[in-house]
Amino acid sequence: MTLPFQSAAILGAGLMGRLLAVTLARAGCKVDLFEAGSPQAEGAAARVAAAMLAPLAESAVAPTSVVRMGQHALSRWPELLAPLAQPVFFQREGTLVLWHRQDAAEATRLARVLATTGTQVPELAPMQTLDGPAIAALEPSLGQRFAQGLFLPGEGQLDNRALLASLLATLQADPRVSLHWHSPRAPSDFAPGTPGQPDWLVDCRGLGAKPQWNALRGVRGEVIRVHAPEVSLKRPTRLVHPRYPLYIAPKPDGLFVIGATEIESDDMSSASVRSTLELLSAAYAVHSGFAEARIVEIATQCRPTLPDNLPAIRQPQPRVLQINGLYRHGFMIAPAMLDVAMELLTQGRSPLAQGFGMAADLT
């Protein structure tokens, strides 16, 4: 790829900031990456996420534009991971959706939604209906606990923290990249395109960009990480429930990420007792082995979200891009957002954005 510019400053070293910095540097660009926090990305929503890549499953709460972006990402992630400095856990073993008998009506409603998505986005692998033996064939430890389920082939997940660490190591090893930690910056601190300034400025600060993008709001999520070596699950599993649809994502070394809660609030305080009990009780209802799990972390974070819950890229002034609003779909749609941003930076337009039906406004 040949870039029509030589330098760029990126604000925010979360998932999007790191992906964009690696991609631009690999294309020969001199990159300055500014982050208000530390290299460990403690303040980034990406550090807390389960990093599931499940476009069909997410269509229960997401429109087809986001589903298409997620489908695009499934094939892009291996390409993005391959050249990184450190290996990152990535799998495409599908998503298992289960429910208890009392929630069968909710499961029927969900199945109708997923079937409709399948007709709207035919490139998705078809949903499969499972009985008890079929569930046992996929997850032997669950076959006796659930009589019905759905299997969504081809969906995947990755290890979010390993990815953030690998992106960091890749950036640290690249002489074209200058990393500026504990260095909060705003777009007004730069004059892109003028002598001594970067050719482009890209703002990837998430909620940190709220002063420049007033429509942003936080949507709180709570996630529990447990170590459960007695639990054997091969793939992300979702539990249908009318109030808190649970997900359990198995990570390497016996770690599991358990989450469900979604609260319209930018409150960053600790998780409540109620939500913690609900998450752990629901996980135990899926697999009794979680009774002996050890709680590693109970984390909260707020996802940057726009009024329509859709991601957007905009150009508020010449040579400045703002990328934001990835909501709960960060890892699932980040490669699509990256590819749209690169098209805009190199071509001034993005056919991909039109295909995804997403907002990508340039002046």
Side-chain angles (χ1 to χ4, degrees), residues 138-158:
L138 289 172
E139 296 288 357
S141 62
L142 301 181
Q144 300 301 314
R145 301 180 69 90
F146 295 92
Q148 291 181 301
L150 300 172
F151 181 55
L152 315 183
E155 298 196 328
Q157 64 159 333
L158 53 78

Side-chain angles (χ1 to χ4, degrees):
M1 177 187 300
T2 301
L3 298 176
F5 55 92
Q6 297 181 335
S7 62
I10 299 174
L11 309 186
L15 176 61
M16 280 307 310
R18 295 186 190 205
L19 279 175
L20 187 60
V22 166
T23 303
L24 286 173
R26 188 173 297 130
C29 184
K30 179 183 180 298
V31 176
D32 283 273
L33 179 60
F34 295 88
E35 166 56 44
S38 75
Q40 282 66 49
E42 297 99 332
R47 181 170 175 79
V48 176
M52 293 181 293
L53 314 174
L56 181 53
E58 282 296 301
S59 71
V61 295
T64 55
S65 59
V66 170
V67 173
R68 291 191 177 95
M69 295 174 75
Q71 182 67 11
H72 173 87
L74 282 169
S75 59
R76 281 289 283 137
W77 269 120
E79 299 170 353
L80 294 170
L81 297 177
L84 295 184
Q86 300 169 357
V88 176
F89 166 75
F90 170 85
Q91 67 166 195
R92 289 190 64 179
E93 296 293 331
T95 299
L96 183 61
V97 181
L98 302 171
W99 56 89
H100 297 296
R101 184 174 290 105
Q102 65 268 24
D103 297 317
E106 185 69 16
T108 299
R109 186 202 66 80
L110 173 63
R112 286 199 299 265
V113 172
L114 301 188
T116 299
T117 302
T119 62
Q120 295 170 335
V121 189
E123 58 267 32
L124 291 168
M127 171 181 68
Q128 300 175 13
T129 301
L130 306 177
D131 57 12
I135 293 171
L138 289 172
E139 296 288 357
S141 62
L142 301 181
Q144 300 301 314
R145 301 180 69 90
F146 295 92
Q148 291 181 301
L150 300 172
F151 181 55
L152 315 183
E155 298 196 328
Q157 64 159 333
L158 53 78
D159 186 332
N160 60 319
R161 296 187 178 178
L163 173 61
L164 291 171
S166 188
L167 288 167
L168 174 62
T170 304
L171 292 168
Q172 290 172 328
D174 195 321
R176 292 162 294 199
V177 177
S178 297
L179 301 171
H180 308 272
W181 307 110
H182 306 290
S183 301
R185 294 290 188 275
S188 58
D189 296 329
F190 300 85
T194 62
Q197 291 285 308
D199 295 326
W200 273 90
L201 173 69
V202 186
D203 188 348
C204 302
R205 291 175 297 155
L207 287 175
K210 187 170 174 53
Q212 291 76 38
W213 204 329
N214 293 333
L216 280 167
R217 74 186 196 279
V219 176
R220 175 182 167 98
E222 299 170 340
V223 168
I224 301 177
R225 287 177 175 261
V226 302
H227 182 239
E230 295 183 9
V231 176
S232 176
L233 293 178
K234 301 175 184 177
R235 56 185 54 79
T237 299
R238 298 188 178 218
L239 182 66
V240 177
H241 189 279
R243 194 158 60 84
Y244 48 88
L246 179 91
Y247 61 77
I248 302 172
K251 306 298 182 182
D253 303 319
L255 286 174
F256 293 82
V257 178
I258 303 168
T261 57
E262 184 170 298
I263 305 167
E264 284 285 345
S265 169
D266 58 5
D267 175 17
M268 294 287 288
S269 63
S270 300
S272 68
V273 171
R274 175 180 175 175
S275 61
T276 301
L277 288 173
E278 287 180 344
L279 286 176
L280 293 178
S281 297
Y284 174 74
V286 172
H287 196 302
S288 59
F290 282 115
E292 298 303 320
R294 296 298 181 260
I295 298 174
V296 176
E297 177 182 87
I298 302 176
T300 61
Q301 188 53 262
C302 289
R303 302 115 162 176
T305 309
L306 290 165
D308 58 4
N309 291 351
L310 297 178
I313 300 179
R314 69 179 189 180
Q315 186 180 20
Q317 62 192 72
R319 294 185 173 273
V320 176
L321 279 187
Q322 294 177 314
I323 305 173
N324 221 312
L326 275 67
Y327 182 37
R328 59 180 280 164
H329 310 300
F331 285 87
M332 191 179 84
I333 66 175
M337 296 294 287
L338 172 69
D339 292 345
V340 168
M342 290 302 296
E343 285 186 344
L344 294 173
L345 290 168
T346 57
Q347 305 172 29
R349 55 185 292 272
S350 175
L352 270 177
Q354 296 176 1
F356 296 141
M358 66 167 288
D361 298 327
L362 296 188
T363 55

